Amino acid sequence: MLLIHCPYCEEDRPEVEFVYGGEAHIARPLDPATLSDEEWEHYLYIRRNPRGRHHERWRHTHGCGRFFNAVRDTVSDRFEQTYKAGEPRK
Amino acid sequence: MMRFSGLNLIAQAFSGHQSWPEQWPDKAPKAAYDVIIVGAGGHGLGAAYYLAAKYGITNVAVIEKGWLGGGNTGRNTTIIRSNYLYDESAHLYDHAVKLWDGLSQELNYNVMYSKRGVLMLAHNVHDIQSFKRHIHANRLNGVDNEWLSPEECQAYCPPLDISPNARHPVLGGALQRRGGTARHDSVAWGYARKATALGVDIIQNCAVTGIRRGPDGAVLGVETERGFIGAKKIGVSAAGNTSVVMNMAGLQFPLESYPLQALVSEPVKPIFPCVVMSNTVHAYISQSDKGELVIGAGTDQYTSYSQRGAFHIIEHTLAAICEIFPIFTRMRMLRTWGGIVDVTPDRSPILGKTPVQGLYVNCGWGTGGFKATPGAADLLAHTIAHDAPHAINAPFTLDRFRNGRMIDEAAAAAVAH
Amino acid sequence: MSDVLAIPALAVAGTDLALEAQAVTASGVALTLEAPASRWSLRARTAQALSGVIGRAVPARIGETLDGIACLGPDEWLADLPAGTALPDGAGQPVSVVDISARGVVIRVEGAGAATVLSSGCPLDLDRFAVGRATRTVFETVEVILWRESATVFRVFVWRSFAPWLWHALKAAERG
Amino acid sequence: MSGYRLPAGGRVNRAAPLDFTFDGRAHSGFAGDSLASALVASGQMLFGRSFKYHRPRGILGMGTEEPNALVTVDRGGAGPGWGRRTPNLRAPSVPLYQGLTAQSQNRYPSLKFDLGAVNDRLGAFFPAGFYNKTFMWPRSAWEKLYEPAIRRMAGLGASPTERDPDHYDATYAHCEVLVVGGGLAGIDAALAAAADGGRVILIDEQDELGGGALSDQALWGEVADKTMALRRLGNVMVLTRTTAFGYYHQNFVGAVEQLTDHLAPAQASGARERLWRIRAGEVILAQGAIERPLVFDGNDVPGVMLSSAGRALAVRYGVAVGRAVAVMAVHDSGWRDALALKAAGVNVVAVIDLRGEVAADLVAAVRGAGIAVHLGHAVTQVAGRHGVSGVTFAPGGTGQGQQLAVDALLMAGGWTPTVHLWSHAKGSLRWDDTWGAYLPDVAQENCRAVGAGAGAWDMGAGLALGTLPGPKPIWQTKAFVDFQNDVKARDIDLAVREGMRSIEHIKRYTTNGMATDQGKTSNLNGLQIASGSLSKPVTDIGLTTFRPPYTPQTFGALMGHHKDALFQPIRKTVIDGWADARGAVFENVAQWRRARYFPQGGEDMHAAVARECLAVRQQVGMFDASTLGKIEVVGPDAAEFLNRMYTNPWKALAPGRCRYGLLLREDGFITDDGVSARLAPDRFHLTTTTGGAARVLAMMEDYLQTEWSDLDVWLTSTTEQWAVIAVQGPLARAVIAPLVEGIDLAPGAFPHMAIREGTICGVPTRLFRVSFTGELGYEVNVPAEHGRMVWEAIHASGQAHGITPYGTETMHVLRAEKGYVIVGQDTDGTLTPDDAGMAWAVGTKKPDFVGKRSLARPDMSAPGRKQLVGLLTEDPQEVLEEGAQIVADPDQPVPMTMLGHVTSSYHSATLGRSIAMAVIADGRARDGQVIHVPMPGRTIRARVSASTVFYDPQGSRLDV
């Protein structure tokens, strides 16, 4: 069970309080109608899925309820840092 | 290749088994091949074998960063079935089941395909509706799958608790009698042995570090830890690592890689005759020929390449097993392990050509790739040989994520009221 | 042995867990169901914004409590006030005031071993959970809000339909 | 001396004798004994049969490494169908208690005479991997003959076949320092850590602290003093009989504590085992080291065992392992053991060491104790089958042999540091030549290893060997590496010859290290042998990965609380008890249980549902809809937010009015629906499906927080705040009118699809005028605590009008008669709004909503998509099976081209015939066409209706 630092609660909390939210920093296009099918496919489905440093979303669902972002190494599963939603990519 | 047989085994016994040859030779890579397969799991080795055996392409290398069969092939719970809902899936998986039948003889290697039946339990009205839909569709597709009452389920699998007081009572089940298990390592080894006998090179401990493309964009070969190896065509069968390999060719894929755990109990005398799956309770169990209860757990929620999962997944899995099979609470867990499964948005595989000329892919099998091994391998070989998909894998293209023609078995089983 | 008989009975009861008025865990901690109260889920972008609308001071830091109001998240508060208390509904204001008085119940866990009993299913380090703190968390798979009233009293807020399961899980906690 | 019990010594309590049975024979031992020590004391050296060849086996070790002496212990049942039998327990780890009943395993008919031992005679035909090479002809024989035979041979002990009356406890724990291993190194680490004042947990698998020191009488005093010191500290928790089995991410360690299995069943109360889920700041691993067996011809005869086991038996338990004992050593520790045994009163006759030179003080001491010394020699042969009757040893293992009459032989093959947990946590390892083993190197977690497990303990010097040198070629020997799985040195050699070059392949091919001991005594020997066969250094062959658990752990302990009634919460509404008392039949829907129908006087479901349906159509019915998901959406931007989420427009909805909302996923497929009401300009009361409540709330939070965080709107789940009672039927108004205050129920004042707030039975209500039946209807929302009271009041008020409670099955029929869709039944995750015939619910003028862009993808509007339509069977009494498949041509060969399937199908009592809904390719264009439903043995004909509305198509019954 991972131990995750919630940037809102400012505490390390157990993974079972959190829900994983997939890759971070994929903003929903402001005007989807103007996107090509390929661009829309990219938004919906294409993921970096890197082996190594991964920017990802978590939600402290059973805690403060907030989504936030994290940088985690997908080989060691170690968190490098977590930061609040809306902050720039670290 | 020395023929394997009971007689030969007896003959060898009298000479102390001193004359068995290597099952596959360890080869140094040649400068170039007609086809390179990246990934020496069952799917990749099988593709090499079918390229050589069915399509006459023998100048083939299978390149593996670790040891052959060391990825998901050697880490899964070996369930084989083809009772899928959609025509596309049913045809795909049944192609595999047909190849499983006779694979031991074809490879002259006993892969121990055991048609002990796969029983999927229904626990609520929605399950019944969904299973009946599968059963009818399977029947009209020529795939066996039949409905059992709770009492028939228990007769088929005596340890099953069918008490109506259970939290999730068993309301019936769908049984595919041709479903079952096989011996996972033997599949990889059998393909490796037969493929190498036909001229295929297997190169282990040789990580691919890049895919070289020519000015026209077509593949030229792979960069590896042991230097560049040329290839006219490259087939990627790298399971959880597919995204990484595809990145080397400049492609981003609709894939995410998740940890998936499994476990076995200590070996006990035969008690569990079939394979039982319960999607509602999240339990998957069979008993190996060695006597261990083989139990599939769920995926962790986050992407990972660590081949390691969280303990609470194991807690939930064993609670689910004991809910359906309360007699097993005193059994003991012997070993857990993890694999990396690559999951597509519709949880169906991608099997076919890629936007890069000469680059072919077989990925996205998620938690269910083992059962498809011979079928997927054959279809990848076909696609590579003809530079065009077979009719069976034609629907499993990348395009579907653009045009919306998904093959979403899980969505078809949607739960809501 | 009584426990031998009790467990099969529980299994047969299966779907029929019910709350008693009061129970004692195996390790001697008393469980009681608190009387109904007036409870709200309060939401606003800041403590000040909320405070201005409801006319009460609210804690600004997550986990803090003040006069029956707990800060659960950066924009979320739980008000747990005496039955019959009224709050302005904040109409037209950038706040959300939602009555949840009936949504759940509060199980009071009381005794020297209260933290120990809760630790049977709650993954938080309760030794480090100060008196006066409140937080949303889980007990095994069930979401709860934990509010530490004193060294030996925890109040566990849980949605109504999960309460029987939680009650019996707490009752079953053996560690003494 | 009774049997093999030494006249004095040991840590057993000779004043507390205990009776027990093994294979039905009575024995006795003392408190403090393990089953193994008590049996050896009774002269029992044969404990079990090996897995593959059924060879007779004794004990190899006296700890968790034991591969051979596995037994079944039966602690008795609790009535018919309940039992406490546990297979595969390691006899050395089974504490003795009064009345213990143990059985040997994997033998038939008896331990001494086992028919399965024929496998041993035929062993030459069953080398490693033999099953890959045979059993293939004739093909049909695999299923009928070979596989059943192989499966019958499987397993060791027998699985329990009865339910387990015991229960299991679980807990979380937190500490600053966790020490795993309670030997002196662990005790010292715990004492040092405790001095910092933080919380310390010390875990040890044995029933008392001390570890290896318990086999060294000189250290007993130190262990006792330090244990006392630990117990006096307020910040240290000592857990004995507790095994740390797995080391997971960020210092999360799983451990299982045995609570009652060491007690006689009559004394045992409470949970059997407790799962400890520990989060530690720092982990200190003090797991010690495990002695390695020596690999030579005959090393598995009962009576040949690890030197440390002989020592533990003598020193800790006061038991002589034999009348005349020899030690075969390649390591100094064997010499020390010989002296310890001698001191304890065991007749040690010789120490044989392959090394030509051994520390002079050891040699002198051993000689001084009257023990013969044979340097530069190796045992080459062991006489005896069920027990040792003598050994042959020779210079260099190959010279002229001499015989020695002994009945026990101890093997001192060196030590393997226990690095299992270290490896679980992905710590790296380094090869150490002096230990001939891997040692912890770089930790990935805040973790360190101490003591023998870290290579930091003086075990003496020695050799690291693959096999002892012997006179015969390897393929003629029966020199065991993995004792339980019967893996011999020659199997590893064969695997290498057949091309297995990695230790993973060798392991999988031979099964070396895959037995219940998970290779604790076999891994390193296997590695050394493979290294020799491949002529490559050990470090080039790799190391198999250690995976949790360290030792096997009970399913029960790992599932913790989640047994029986506590497996998963079952959610019930406040009205559930009323339904239960009236004999309702329930169904599970998501986590909820819901009343499905209310049979009366022996009715079956068909009859009950028909009666309930007619009551609603003709008079009035009441239905518990409390499980519907509810979300309160509040804030100035509430309407804007809903407008972006749902397919249809929301901004113009007037307060006091309701609207049906259709929710798509971003991929364009329907995910949920529900009727929602606008209570005020900035307040909405949403409903979702029962199963979709949590999913919809999570999805909405996601968009709100991460895409549209500028909107001032908040979401609150109110599912359980409100009990919901649907009152439906032409007499619905008459039923509720007497109970409602503050709401004008007149049709003009309170039309269909409106909401009003007032009171009912004196409690506040949000009263919806909505209908999922097609009749005049209300959904009475009241705070849940009043739900039961209001339900009963409505029921009482309805008596005069013939009110009938109905369940989900009737609800399904009524809505199907009206063609209302159930998301998840008539739609699955592959239908668009147009597919479901709900294009009307899509706001075409809205520039965007969740899922809109996906609907414009080429395939989402391509011809041939499956569409939801009605179906009427030609035979009106034929009710189609839900899930049945539909074809155009029933005579086509298999595989058939299927057009779609039946999603909902019922007998409609109202219409006096069957009705169905189906999704069919180009369904709406097939209006009036006959389609076919092929069932086993027959085909059913039905006619397509583009409309799914079978009853009151004008909706006239709603507007009354």
Coordinates of all heavy atoms in Angstrom, one line a residue, chain D residues 832-851:
Chain D
T832 N -25.1 4.8 -28.1 CA -25.2 6.3 -28.1 C -26.6 6.6 -27.8 O -27.5 5.8 -27.9 CB -24.8 6.8 -29.5 OG1 -25.8 6.4 -30.4 CG2 -23.4 6.3 -29.9
P833 N -26.9 7.9 -27.6 CA -28.3 8.3 -27.4 C -29.2 8.0 -28.6 O -30.3 7.5 -28.4 CB -28.2 9.9 -27.2 CG -26.8 10.1 -26.7 CD -26.0 9.0 -27.3
D834 N -28.6 8.2 -29.8 CA -29.4 7.8 -30.9 C -29.7 6.3 -31.0 O -30.8 5.9 -31.3 CB -28.7 8.3 -32.2 CG -29.6 8.1 -33.4 OD1 -30.7 8.7 -33.5 OD2 -29.2 7.2 -34.3
D835 N -28.7 5.5 -30.7 CA -28.9 4.1 -30.7 C -30.1 3.7 -29.7 O -30.8 2.8 -30.0 CB -27.6 3.3 -30.2 CG -26.4 3.6 -31.1 OD1 -26.6 4.0 -32.2 OD2 -25.3 3.3 -30.6
A836 N -30.1 4.4 -28.6 CA -31.1 4.1 -27.6 C -32.5 4.7 -27.9 O -33.4 4.7 -27.1 CB -30.6 4.5 -26.2
G837 N -32.6 5.4 -29.1 CA -33.8 6.1 -29.4 C -34.0 7.3 -28.6 O -35.2 7.7 -28.3
M838 N -33.0 7.9 -28.1 CA -33.1 9.1 -27.2 C -32.4 10.3 -27.8 O -31.9 11.1 -27.1 CB -32.6 8.8 -25.8 CG -33.5 7.7 -25.1 SD -33.3 7.7 -23.4 CE -31.8 6.8 -23.3
A839 N -32.4 10.4 -29.1 CA -31.9 11.6 -29.8 C -32.6 12.8 -29.3 O -32.0 13.9 -29.2 CB -32.0 11.5 -31.3
W840 N -33.9 12.6 -28.9 CA -34.6 13.8 -28.3 C -34.0 14.4 -27.1 O -34.3 15.5 -26.7 CB -36.1 13.4 -28.1 CG -36.2 12.2 -27.1 CD1 -36.3 10.9 -27.5 CD2 -36.2 12.2 -25.7 NE1 -36.3 10.0 -26.4 CE2 -36.3 10.8 -25.2 CE3 -36.1 13.2 -24.7 CZ2 -36.3 10.5 -23.9 CZ3 -36.1 12.8 -23.4 CH2 -36.2 11.5 -23.0
A841 N -33.2 13.6 -26.4 CA -32.6 14.1 -25.1 C -31.3 14.8 -25.4 O -30.6 15.2 -24.4 CB -32.4 12.9 -24.2
V842 N -30.9 14.9 -26.6 CA -29.6 15.6 -26.9 C -29.9 17.0 -27.4 O -30.6 17.2 -28.4 CB -28.9 14.8 -28.0 CG1 -27.5 15.5 -28.3 CG2 -28.6 13.4 -27.5
G843 N -29.3 17.9 -26.7 CA -29.5 19.3 -27.1 C -28.6 19.6 -28.2 O -27.4 19.9 -28.1
T844 N -29.2 19.6 -29.4 CA -28.3 19.7 -30.6 C -27.8 21.2 -30.8 O -26.8 21.4 -31.4 CB -29.2 19.4 -31.9 OG1 -30.5 20.1 -31.8 CG2 -29.4 17.9 -32.0
K845 N -28.4 22.1 -30.1 CA -27.9 23.5 -30.2 C -26.8 23.8 -29.2 O -26.2 24.8 -29.3 CB -29.1 24.5 -30.0 CG -30.2 24.4 -31.1 CD -31.1 25.6 -30.9 CE -32.4 25.4 -31.8 NZ -33.6 25.5 -31.0
K846 N -26.6 22.9 -28.3 CA -25.5 23.1 -27.3 C -24.2 23.0 -28.0 O -24.0 22.0 -28.7 CB -25.7 22.2 -26.1 CG -26.8 22.5 -25.2 CD -27.1 21.4 -24.2 CE -25.9 21.1 -23.3 NZ -26.3 20.1 -22.3
P847 N -23.3 23.9 -27.8 CA -22.0 23.8 -28.5 C -21.2 22.6 -28.0 O -20.4 22.1 -28.7 CB -21.3 25.1 -28.2 CG -22.0 25.7 -26.9 CD -23.4 25.2 -27.0
D848 N -21.4 22.3 -26.7 CA -20.6 21.2 -26.2 C -21.3 20.6 -25.0 O -22.1 21.3 -24.3 CB -19.2 21.8 -25.7 CG -18.2 20.7 -25.3 OD1 -18.4 19.6 -25.7 OD2 -17.2 21.1 -24.6
F849 N -21.0 19.4 -24.7 CA -21.4 18.7 -23.5 C -20.5 17.4 -23.4 O -19.9 17.1 -24.5 CB -22.8 18.3 -23.4 CG -23.4 17.5 -24.6 CD1 -23.2 16.1 -24.6 CD2 -24.1 18.1 -25.6 CE1 -23.7 15.4 -25.7 CE2 -24.6 17.4 -26.7 CZ -24.4 16.0 -26.7
V850 N -20.4 16.8 -22.3 CA -19.5 15.7 -22.2 C -19.9 14.6 -23.2 O -21.1 14.1 -23.1 CB -19.5 15.2 -20.8 CG1 -18.7 13.8 -20.7 CG2 -18.9 16.2 -19.8
G851 N -19.1 14.2 -24.0 CA -19.4 13.1 -25.0 C -19.8 13.6 -26.4 O -19.8 12.8 -27.3

